[in-house]
Amino acid sequence: MQALARLSRFVGNTFAIWVLLFAALAFFYPAAFRGIGPYIVPLLGLIMFGMGLTLSKDDFREVARRPLDVAIGVGGQFVIMPGLAWILSTTLALPPEVAVGVILVGCCPGGTASNVMTFLARGDVALSVAITSVTTLLAPIVTPALIYLLASQWIEVSASAMFWSIVQVVVLPIALGVLVQYLLKEKVEVGVAALPLVSVVAIVAIVAAVVAGNQARIATSGLMIFAVVVLHNALGLLIGYGLAKLCGMSLPKRKAISIEVGMQNSGLGVALATAHFSPLAAVPSAIFSVWHNISGPLAATLFRRFDAKGEGKH
């Protein structure tokens, strides 16, 4: 079991490399990965089940202990990224399916990778986990409502159908994970050590499936989508940090808010796009999955230097 835990840590620490490698393989050898497509939703459910296994009462006590900090992070997540997605889509006159895909990933809750990046950045990890948990639990209501509000001008949106999709692939697996953790307690701790391995395999498979299924379209419009995703992510990180600074937060909190706002649950974006829109609409989420595993460590490295300069230690 220790060998499995070591392997899991190694794969978790080299996450970005595996995502990039298999995205490239799926692009050049799409036939080898297309068969994964039908399993995108179950794979996301597996990731969410793993998140449920790791949630504790302390994560929710954090919300009650400092509700204002959490509210600023949650508000930033659900205002800044959707707003930026809509502004970029309209300003750059993106094709309808691409615009919907960008807005879709912008309206998703925070991704669990943000907690790891906050830790690496020496940010406020407890705050990061609390914001991720709250945005994820609010997602069945907030995400469909935002997509309906912002994307209806391009394509017909069924908020009720998306609500049930998010309940099935996010809320129920998380609830099941929490229940299993409560019933089995110590026995679950052994399995939790392998969770980074399971999550990496599942996310890599999801990205590979989307890239393989959209290889031809990515070849023609991939650079444009990549540029939009990079800009969206960078502005999210920057504005998130600015919001936290404007609210008078300490440096560790600013780091947490910035990373929370900038990093999305792009796996959910892929699942929703695949189920409710078109394969092309899933591409921005898939590219976001690849990119934020590059930008996240870069942001964490930059934020660690803020400490070295002795900036904002209060």
Side-chain angles (χ1 to χ4, degrees):
M1 197 66 208
Q2 284 184 336
L4 182 62
R6 280 198 299 271
L7 175 64
S8 185
R9 279 196 300 273
F10 169 74
V11 172
N13 292 336
T14 53
F15 188 12
I17 295 169
W18 300 111
V19 174
L20 284 168
L21 174 63
F22 280 90
L25 287 171
F27 182 80
F28 291 108
Y29 306 101
F33 296 92
R34 284 197 185 110
I36 305 171
Y39 302 101
I40 287 174
V41 171
L43 286 166
L44 179 63
L46 185 64
I47 296 166
M48 293 296 105
F49 173 74
M51 181 181 173
L53 286 178
T54 60
L55 285 177
S56 68
K57 291 176 185 174
D58 290 340
D59 299 331
F60 295 100
R61 285 197 189 105
E62 201 65 29
V63 179
R65 196 167 71 81
R66 39 180 178 165
L68 182 59
D69 289 349
V70 175
I72 290 168
V74 172
Q77 176 72 56
F78 283 134
V79 173
I80 293 169
M81 290 304 271
L84 283 173
W86 184 84
I87 290 167
L88 288 171
S89 297
T90 50
T91 305
L92 301 175
L94 297 179
E97 288 175 297
V98 175
V100 168
V102 172
I103 287 171
L104 187 54
V105 74
C107 295
C108 285
T112 51
S114 61
N115 309 148
V116 178
M117 296 308 152
T118 301
F119 170 76
L120 294 175
R122 297 193 183 117
D124 191 330
V125 178
L127 177 61
S128 175
V129 172
I131 295 168
T132 300
S133 302
V134 172
T135 56
T136 301
L137 294 175
L138 288 175
I141 303 294
V142 179
T143 296
L146 285 171
I147 294 168
Y148 180 80
L149 180 69
L150 299 175
S152 293
Q153 70 186 78
W154 285 283
I155 202 164
E156 189 177 338
V157 176
S158 173
S160 59
M162 271 190 285
F163 167 81
W164 285 114
S165 287
I166 298 173
V167 167
Q168 288 166 9
V169 301
V170 175
V171 178
L172 290 180
I174 288 176
L176 184 60
V178 170
L179 180 63
V180 168
Q181 183 201 88
Y182 176 76
L183 293 175
L184 299 181
K185 296 184 173 72
E186 290 81 10
K187 293 176 184 175
V188 170
E189 290 177 15
V190 179
V192 166
L195 278 179
L197 176 61
V198 174
S199 294
V200 169
V201 170
I203 291 172
V204 166
I206 288 170
V207 171
V210 174
V211 172
N214 293 276
Q215 193 264 0
R217 286 171 171 179
I218 291 172
T220 56
S221 57
L223 277 177
M224 172 194 68
I225 299 173
F226 182 78
V228 172
V229 164
V230 170
L231 187 58
H232 189 197
N233 176 235
L235 288 172
L237 290 166
L238 191 64
I239 297 171
Y241 188 89
L243 169 69
K245 191 167 185 177
L246 193 66
C247 293
M249 289 180 149
S250 65
L251 182 59
K253 289 180 183 178
R254 281 183 242 158
K255 294 175 183 180
I257 298 289
S258 171
I259 292 170
E260 276 301 312
V261 170
M263 295 185 74
Q264 307 293 91
N265 185 342
S266 46
L268 177 60
V270 169
L272 291 175
T274 305
H276 300 284
F277 300 113
S278 68
L280 185 58
V283 173
S285 292
I287 292 176
F288 206 105
S289 286
V290 176
W291 174 247
H292 81 191
N293 286 295
I294 299 169
S295 67
L298 288 174
T301 303
L302 177 65
F303 283 148
R304 283 170 76 97
R305 290 185 179 178
F306 285 15
D307 287 340
K309 292 176 184 174
E311 200 179 300
K313 289 196 172 182
H314 58 274

